[in-house]
Amino acid sequence: MSDSSLTRRRLLCRVGAAAGALVAGSRLKRLSMSASQPLTARAATSQPLRIGVVVPSRTGLTPVRAASQQVAGQAALQGAIMAGEELGQVAGMLDKQLEVLVSSAPTAEAAKRAAERLVDLEGVFALVGGFDVATCQALSGVADEAEVPFLNIGCASDALRGASCRRFTFHFEASAAMYLDALADWFVREGIRQWFFVTAATDEGRALLARGRYALERRHWGGKEAGSAEVREDEPEFGRALDAIARARPDLVVLLLGAVAQLDFLGQYEAAGLSYPVTGFPEAVAQTRTFFAAARNTAPRAGAGHRAVLWEASLDDYGGRELNARYRERWGMPMDPSAWAAWEAVKILWEAASFAGTTDGRALVQYLEAPDTTFDVHKGIGVSFRPWDHQLRQTLYLVKVNDRAESAWDLATLAGELPETHRPGFSPNEMLDQIGDLANRSQCHFGSGSSGR
């Protein structure tokens, strides 16, 4: 298979030159009209609807952390471009114009500059992007300042939905709480109850540990913590954590680490001869087939476990087969979750502007927050944004990494869907709210913004 020799080093380096070429193709032209106008006014002047997408892609020297995120960023860039092509045709049939402008931004500072340029010079009415907390915060700040909606497609941090929430930011990416609840639901139901957590020695790592404990002990009775170890991701020597795991003898080892640190840990875990099943926190890059190949090649046994994902390229139902097939035909590769997220985020913004009849940011926020606003994201159930933290309700999937795969297409096998959405007597929102934090746990306060709370 093409990824058979993929290692951690190659994961960090693998970003195609195509991304740069595509980004370079973005047009820069000062607009004479405001981004916020009724659609009828835009149509009368042939003014296109523009959506700005800011993703990490290779641009000269790139920090190591940002380089790993380029794997997810590249997929997102391709998904956004495909959405612009397909939905642009739909807009044309309605005598409208839709353009998706993409910009490369390997750091938070670069993302802020790119977003400001897209808003001020290109007149985009909404922003899409974000693959690390700093970048999401930067894009969220630009969105609030300019009063344009921002759809986060790659940051799972609960802090962004909590104390750091902002009025104009909406989260298409699932929250950390949703992923941890889904993992707990799946593994505890399968009788895998004794968990050992490995966490990063950071505030974000400790927050994940606290939420993981809550998911295991408070929401899924029968689950217990077998132990935990805190490690430094910038000093990847995990001997003490491995010794603690050997003593604890857990049913499952849960790596609440970044994608690169997960690969480092898996290699040492395999070499130590430990055999307990391992799963990892599904940050965006850790959901890609590039990561799956690297994990399996780094640790053929431990790296071929079960993983939570936002989307799976082998999904057949609810139009997923057709969407996955079109992406494969367009790009010649499976549709990774970040590609799907970018495609659907553009679709949501296009539909919101169309049905709300305006690109005014405040009006779009009100439309996206409205209880009766739902979207079809090819998951079989109408999804909506939670009003208390702007988190999109949606199902998640569990896949098994295939240790015998001979191609990228076979690297993951669908193993489950969470939460259960076919329960008589429950509304769609009640079923989808089985995972993630409800309003009574939210620390988000939007204040007296445009639409109130």
Side-chain angles (χ1 to χ4, degrees):
M1 59 180 293
S2 59
D3 289 315
S4 60
S5 61
L6 192 59
T7 64
R8 170 181 177 273
R9 180 181 297 277
R10 297 191 66 183
L11 171 71
L12 296 177
C13 298
R14 181 175 172 173
V15 178
L22 290 167
V23 171
S26 300
R27 292 174 295 107
L28 292 176
K29 180 172 61 179
R30 185 176 295 277
L31 302 180
S32 59
M33 295 183 64
S34 167
S36 301
Q37 287 194 331
L39 295 193
T40 51
R42 284 179 173 264
T45 59
S46 300
Q47 181 68 33
L49 295 171
R50 285 178 168 159
I51 297 172
V53 179
V54 182
V55 294
S57 60
R58 181 174 292 277
T59 53
L61 295 176
T62 303
V64 170
R65 177 69 180 169
S68 69
Q69 294 160 4
Q70 291 173 359
V71 175
Q74 167 69 11
L77 182 146
Q78 294 176 176
I81 290 173
M82 192 176 99
E85 295 169 348
E86 295 186 343
L87 299 174
Q89 293 182 7
V90 174
M93 290 187 287
L94 299 173
D95 293 327
K96 299 175 183 175
Q97 297 181 56
L98 174 67
E99 294 181 354
V100 175
L101 307 184
V102 295
S103 183
S104 170
T107 65
E109 294 76 15
K112 182 175 184 294
R113 291 193 298 271
E116 290 173 340
R117 186 177 67 251
L118 286 167
V119 171
D120 295 338
L121 301 184
E122 296 286 2
V124 302
F125 74 88
L127 294 167
V128 174
F131 284 96
D132 66 87
V133 173
T135 298
C136 276
Q137 288 177 328
L139 294 175
S140 181
V142 173
D144 252 36
E145 181 70 23
E147 296 194 346
V148 298
F150 161 52
L151 261 62
N152 157 29
I153 59 170
C155 296
S157 171
D158 287 333
L160 297 172
R161 287 90 171 155
S164 299
C165 72
R166 291 177 184 267
R167 165 61 68 191
F168 286 84
T169 295
F170 291 79
H171 305 282
F172 188 92
E173 166 68 298
S175 67
M178 292 170 66
Y179 282 125
L180 291 167
D181 284 343
L183 287 171
D185 193 7
W186 174 267
F187 283 109
V188 172
R189 286 174 187 269
E190 293 297 310
I192 302 172
R193 297 185 171 89
Q194 303 282 333
W195 288 23
F196 189 101
F197 295 103
V198 180
T199 65
T202 62
D203 290 343
E204 184 68 21
R206 292 169 189 129
L208 284 175
L209 175 60
R211 191 55 180 79
R213 285 170 169 166
Y214 179 83
L216 189 62
E217 299 170 359
R218 299 289 297 276
R219 289 177 55 107
H220 300 276
W221 295 275
K224 293 183 179 179
E225 180 181 349
S228 66
E230 189 173 273
V231 301
R232 291 179 59 92
E233 292 182 300
D234 57 347
E235 296 178 5
E237 199 292 306
F238 305 120
R240 295 178 63 181
L242 296 172
D243 291 342
I245 292 170
R247 291 193 299 272
R249 306 178 65 179
D251 295 333
L252 178 71
V253 178
V254 182
L255 305 180
L256 301 180
L257 305 172
V260 175
Q262 288 185 39
L263 294 179
D264 289 331
F265 190 94
L266 285 168
Q268 294 179 38
Y269 185 87
E270 189 97 342
L274 297 173
S275 58
Y276 310 107
V278 181
T279 191
F281 185 76
E283 69 171 32
V285 66
Q287 298 185 30
T288 65
R289 272 169 162 71
T290 299
F291 177 87
F292 294 163
R296 190 195 62 171
N297 293 338
T298 300
R301 178 176 41 76
H306 288 85
R307 314 281 308 194
V309 294
L310 200 61
W311 179 253
E312 163 52 30
S314 63
L315 282 167
D316 277 345
D317 296 333
Y318 316 120
R321 174 185 296 179
E322 291 75 16
L323 179 60
N324 281 324
R326 295 201 305 274
Y327 187 89
R328 178 176 183 170
E329 182 177 1
R330 176 67 175 84
W331 299 107
M333 59 183 64
M335 191 176 206
D336 275 332
S338 53
W340 171 80
W343 194 94
E344 297 287 359
V346 171
K347 174 174 172 285
I348 282 177
L349 290 168
W350 154 248
E351 291 179 353
S354 297
F355 288 114
T358 180
T359 55
D360 176 77
R362 297 189 180 199
L364 288 176
V365 167
Q366 290 181 320
Y367 180 82
L368 292 169
E369 286 180 332
D372 58 347
T373 297
T374 60
F375 299 95
D376 173 16
V377 293
H378 297 87
K379 289 192 172 183
I381 187 171
V383 300
S384 59
F385 289 99
R386 293 168 177 156
W388 57 86
D389 62 0
H390 287 181
Q391 173 62 56
L392 187 74
R393 302 176 170 98
Q394 62 175 308
T395 54
L396 302 176
Y397 302 98
L398 193 78
V399 299
K400 171 72 169 61
V401 178
N402 186 355
D403 59 351
R404 298 182 179 179
E406 296 181 354
S407 74
W409 309 98
D410 302 327
L411 264 172
T413 302
L414 188 64
E417 178 180 352
L418 295 166
E420 173 60 53
T421 58
H422 303 290
R423 300 177 65 182
F426 289 85
S427 70
N429 286 355
E430 288 175 319
M431 290 185 288
L432 293 173
D433 281 340
Q434 294 175 77
I435 57 174
D437 286 333
L438 299 179
N440 61 0
R441 279 182 56 84
S442 177
Q443 299 182 39
C444 175
H445 300 284
F446 291 125
S448 57
S450 59
S451 57
R453 185 178 179 182

